[in-house]
Amino acid sequence: MTTRIERHHYDVVVIGAGGAGLRAAIEARLAGKKTAIISKSLFGKAHTVMAEGGAAAAMGNVNSRDNWMVHYRDTMRGGKFLNNFRMAELHAKEAPSRIWELETYGALFDRTKDGKISQRNFGGHEYPRLAHVGDRTGLELIRTLQQKIVSLQQEDKAATGSYDSRIRVFAETTITELLLDGDKVAGAFGYYRETGEFVLFEAPAVVLATGGVGRSYKVTSNSWEYTGDGHALALRAGATLINMEFLQFHPTGMVWPPSVKGILVTESVRGDGGVLKNSTGKRFMFEYVPDVFRKQYAETEEEADRWYTDPDNNRRPPELLPRDEVARAINNEVKEGRGSPSGGVFLDVSTRLPAEEIKKRLPSMHHQFKELAGVDITREPMEVGPTCHYVMGGVEVDPDTAAASGTVQGLFAAGEVSGGMHGSNRLGGNSLSDLLVFGKRAGEHASSYTDVLATRPRVSQADLDAAVATALAPLERNDGENPYTLQQDLQAVMGDLVGIIRRKGELEESLVRLAELRERVSKVSAAGGRRYNPGWHLALDLRNMLVVSECTAKAALEREESRGGHTREDFPAMRPEWRQVNLVCSLDGDKVRLEHKPLPRMRPELIKLFDRAELAKYLTDEELAEYDALAEEAAK
Amino acid sequence: MGAKRRFKIWRGDQAGGDLKDYDVEVNDGEVVLDVIHRLQATQTPDLACRWNCKAGKCGSCSMEINGTPRLGCMTRMSTFAEDETVTVTPLRAFPVVRDLVTDVSFNYDKARQTPAFAPPADLAPGEYRMQQVDVERSQEFRKCIECFLCQNTCHVVRDHEENKKAFAGPRYFIRAAELDMHPLDAQEDRKEFAQASMGMGYCNITKCCTEVCPEHIKITDNAIIPMKERVVDRRYDPLVWLGRKIFRRDQLDGAGQVPATALVGARTEGSEVAQHHGLNWHREIPQPQAAPVDETGRLPISEITADRPGGPSPFGDDQTFPLPPEGLNYAHPSGTEQG
């Protein structure tokens, strides 16, 4: 093979330059490791910028009753108790420190009157908890981390004469394959998007922070980068994925004009007073409060409206139910013919807040609707509908170290690409704090993993040659299909057959159709050369999207219940026996293998944070009996 | 189904390129980026174009549409007349990589040269207290999505490649202003640095950057002008003036002063060019330096009040003689071309 391959040696390679990736890289660099950050886009453009509402952390700045235990409870509740309890615990405990730390990097959050970080209400959070900057919190987060990395590079420049000596960003670079030495990670292979030249990073530890899988759906709030690269890389390296059936459809995406269909309308619109109405003008969410949430949500519009000013004595409006509930409700309203002209429902903030207040609290929403839809949200309602937003599932990791499970060693995952933290449904605001908490942990433990490694794993030439051949294949084929057509077909299969509401027959059909697509994708061809060729890039991404979609479809077919981000029309209820099960995907040759794995059991002191009546809705009878025994013991 | 519209899109790379004509379907409510995606999907899969969020939040799809720097995702097709040809070209101020993609590394280099936030030494994480009114000024600048449209449109660099070394551009002036206005930033000399090392003096406030900013940040009014004003303030502040008179130079706040590295670097490289090609008429012109006048606008009358023996120089305090050769409009007749 005569292909030129640029080689780099690093201690820790972080794939993905969103919040989790940058936080991991900062930690690895602070631990003294030579660190590379691989970004599919330019530095600072990651999908994290799209996060609007805020970062959930129980700092108790606005309501001093808030603490990590309340946050933990909310997170478990939101995830319908399918969360990995240890991750939810670490997350709730460490989130405040991670937010405060950002201020030392230069972040400027909105403030309370006494000068602390302000916190806002959000769906599923009992107290105002989201540290925010207007409705552009994600941008603040990414910019802060980006600037922290620049500041570390400035220190390195002062010490060594080169900005890049200890931490370097490889912008517009895509990793197509992880290379192993036995079971140990030895490197990552990819290409520079700009030139099409190949590059090999030899490194004993790799942190995956590649985000989600939303591009497999047509209506999505996700950017083109969300092709499930990290999920697929992990699978191919021998790691396992869990909870892949759980996809969060954000209840409020734009529905008109068609070209922006799916773009996010932040939940803060509802947190700040926005209400959902159907075509008859009715606030329909009151009819969709499920039993498990009945106690926490208002029953009348009057009570709901009072909550905005007096949250201690009133219950929350049902518009602020967890995202899965709201998405299903909207879906149902539209299906029963009470939707808006463009197939959504109305989200109205114009009659709820003065125009100036709207512009101040929701500047980017105001801007977005004005520029993209010609709608002035201070005067008229928005039209919104569900959009594919977040994948709860992902790489199965050790909660404390973020190390990937399965056979592989030296692989870590943090942020959306990892699974378990959010259970079956993520609460808004928990992803920004998730990526800080576990980004840090991944960077830290990737670094200490390299410390104890006796010998540096080596990349084998044969693996490298195979990776090169796979990457070049679409360019060398002339008679294959156009990658864009294939992506559209994949999106059609996933959107139509593995969407919000799922049925057995359709899921079975989706697996047949995905198998056909797999054939076609293996013969995809890309016209043009290697220099910045988006067709070629997509052709390579398709392979990842396909295998991840298969995991989702298979797991969705297997889980015979409805829970969080997984709704089966044929099994509409939650079933306690399924709560004890994680569905784990791994790769067997090129086939997806699905296994049941018991969920880790909550520690006694954690389970005692919940009252029995609530647990009764989720747990099996045996588990409840154990809980009772615990309670009895404590009473003695 | 939408109507067919005529597009002219620049295709090519560093070696050169041309506007190519495309007829493409456009539907109701679409933006220019949608049309480019349709072209990729149906006619020319290798058309290179950056994009990410498609909602005006990431600042990736910067391009020039009918000559105006804009975000492709925020330019609605309905803003053009039905029969108007839409011309899309790459950002002009940066080198082309391919088609609509340009090499924007200039901006990332400038980002690295801008000193980072300096956390206050006496506050632990969690102890930061700031008032909303105080953070709001900096927050305006932190809205920046780094689309680099301001950098692209700024005439200081748009057609003057040679100014790029000494000029950081509007994006980094607002970064400097943001840190300058940060209630807890521990570094004191942001404005001086902007003037001395970021080339803020080149800006003559034409507000082109403000005009193209998709986030509607008032770059000129709220960042550049206040920074310039305060640089002047300091220079002519009577107290500072008095301090200059009564303290020795090493007692002044020189420790916080940052050397004009960017400018120095620029000059050295400029001198190389001059040596190779005789006189370089496009060389860096040193920025004018103000004479050390007092508040009446005059030079100190006597040596006693001046800060140096022999009286002050009318050419400015920081000018040294003999002038560095690359600062002169003179080519020695012996010529360096032969040698």
Side-chain angles (χ1 to χ4, degrees), chain A residues 373-435:
Chain A
V375 167
D376 181 353
I377 64 166
T378 65
R379 295 163 175 277
E380 45 194 325
M382 303 161 241
E383 278 186 73
V384 297
T387 175
C388 179
H389 182 54
Y390 190 90
V391 57
M392 270 68 73
V395 180
E396 185 183 15
V397 290
D398 176 82
D400 287 84
T401 64
S405 310
T407 54
V408 64
Q409 291 171 52
L411 188 63
F412 299 80
E416 189 171 351
V417 69
S418 69
M421 158 68 206
H422 302 290
S424 67
N425 177 47
R426 175 179 69 85
L427 292 185
N430 267 3
S431 66
L432 289 187
S433 38
D434 166 23
L435 53 83

Side-chain angles (χ1 to χ4, degrees), chain A residues 85-270:
Chain A
F85 78 89
R86 175 69 178 153
M87 289 178 89
E89 178 196 358
L90 288 170
H91 169 257
K93 283 182 175 165
E94 293 177 5
S97 311
R98 295 289 86 76
I99 298 290
W100 287 324
E101 193 172 66
L102 289 181
E103 288 200 301
T104 68
Y105 300 171
L108 280 173
F109 292 103
D110 286 347
R111 318 305 295 185
T112 60
K113 285 216 170 55
D114 53 354
K116 296 180 186 169
I117 297 174
S118 172
Q119 297 184 270
R120 71 154 46 115
N121 280 305
F122 230 58
H125 293 281
E126 194 169 334
Y127 298 116
R129 187 176 289 145
L130 271 67
H132 58 94
V133 186
D135 52 4
R136 54 162 193 86
T137 317
L139 176 68
E140 181 71 13
L141 205 110
I142 206 85
R143 203 62 83 226
T144 302
L145 294 171
Q146 178 186 350
Q147 287 164 350
K148 174 65 181 177
I149 283 170
V150 167
S151 109
L152 289 171
Q153 288 178 327
Q154 289 172 347
E155 285 173 25
D156 295 343
K157 162 104 180 197
T160 68
S162 162
Y163 287 115
D164 291 329
S165 55
R166 289 175 185 149
I167 182 165
R168 179 165 169 196
V169 181
F170 292 82
E172 301 203 300
T173 305
T174 305
I175 296 297
T176 60
E177 214 72 72
L178 294 179
L179 304 172
L180 303 183
D181 181 354
D183 284 338
K184 293 195 175 72
V185 165
F189 169 84
Y191 59 91
Y192 290 120
R193 303 176 79 81
E194 213 168 83
T195 57
E197 296 287 332
F198 292 127
V199 56
L200 171 68
F201 298 91
E202 293 189 53
V206 167
V207 178
L208 295 173
T210 54
V213 305
R215 284 322 282 187
S216 306
Y217 286 80
K218 185 161 188 298
V219 181
T220 174
S221 63
N222 294 170
S223 82
W224 65 266
E225 300 167 285
Y226 269 37
T227 50
D229 292 9
H231 292 81
L233 288 172
L235 272 181
R236 289 201 293 267
T240 49
L241 306 184
I242 58 167
N243 295 349
M244 288 305 292
E245 64 276 33
F246 297 109
L247 277 167
Q248 182 169 76
F249 288 84
H250 193 289
T252 58
M254 292 175 80
V255 293
W256 193 91
S259 64
V260 300
K261 196 166 178 170
I263 290 179
L264 200 63
V265 179
T266 174
E267 195 166 326
S268 331
V269 175
R270 284 170 287 138

Side-chain angles (χ1 to χ4, degrees), chain A residues 45 140 154 164 172 224, chain B residues 34 50-51 112 142 146:
Chain A
K45 304 294 181 197
E140 181 71 13
Q154 289 172 347
D164 291 329
E172 301 203 300
W224 65 266
Chain B
D34 289 315
R50 280 197 185 102
W51 71 284
R112 285 173 163 185
R142 290 186 72 83
E146 299 202 331

Side-chain angles (χ1 to χ4, degrees), chain A residues 41-43 45 50 52 100 103-106 108-111 113-116 133 136 139-140 143-144 146-147 150-151 153-154 163-164 172 194 215 223-225 256-259 263 367-368 371-374 482 484 531-535, chain B residues 14 28-30 34 40-41 45-48 50-55 57-60 73-74 76 97-98 101 104 108 111-117 119 125-126 128-132 135 138-139 142-146 171 175 182 214 216:
Chain A
S41 300
L42 291 172
F43 187 28
K45 304 294 181 197
M50 297 294 285
E52 293 163 346
W100 287 324
E103 288 200 301
T104 68
Y105 300 171
L108 280 173
F109 292 103
D110 286 347
R111 318 305 295 185
K113 285 216 170 55
D114 53 354
K116 296 180 186 169
V133 186
R136 54 162 193 86
L139 176 68
E140 181 71 13
R143 203 62 83 226
T144 302
Q146 178 186 350
Q147 287 164 350
V150 167
S151 109
Q153 288 178 327
Q154 289 172 347
Y163 287 115
D164 291 329
E172 301 203 300
E194 213 168 83
R215 284 322 282 187
S223 82
W224 65 266
E225 300 167 285
W256 193 91
S259 64
I263 290 179
H367 183 234
Q368 177 176 317
E371 301 274 330
L372 292 177
N482 177 339
Y484 294 93
R531 270 190 96 71
Y532 217 110
N533 181 347
Chain B
Q14 299 109 311
D28 199 18
E30 285 187 331
D34 289 315
Q40 286 178 334
D46 64 336
L47 167 61
R50 280 197 185 102
W51 71 284
N52 277 41
C53 73
K54 224 179 151 291
K57 292 203 170 72
C58 71
S60 300
C73 69
M74 296 304 267
R76 302 182 77 195
V97 172
R98 205 166 79 80
V101 175
V104 293
Y108 290 97
R112 285 173 163 185
Q113 291 161 12
T114 310
F117 172 70
Y128 287 37
R129 296 289 178 273
M130 294 175 261
Q131 288 304 310
Q132 183 63 30
V135 299
S138 295
Q139 280 181 338
R142 290 186 72 83
K143 281 199 303 195
C144 172
I145 56 174
E146 299 202 331
R171 161 64 188 121
R175 170 74 172 141
H182 191 300
H216 307 298

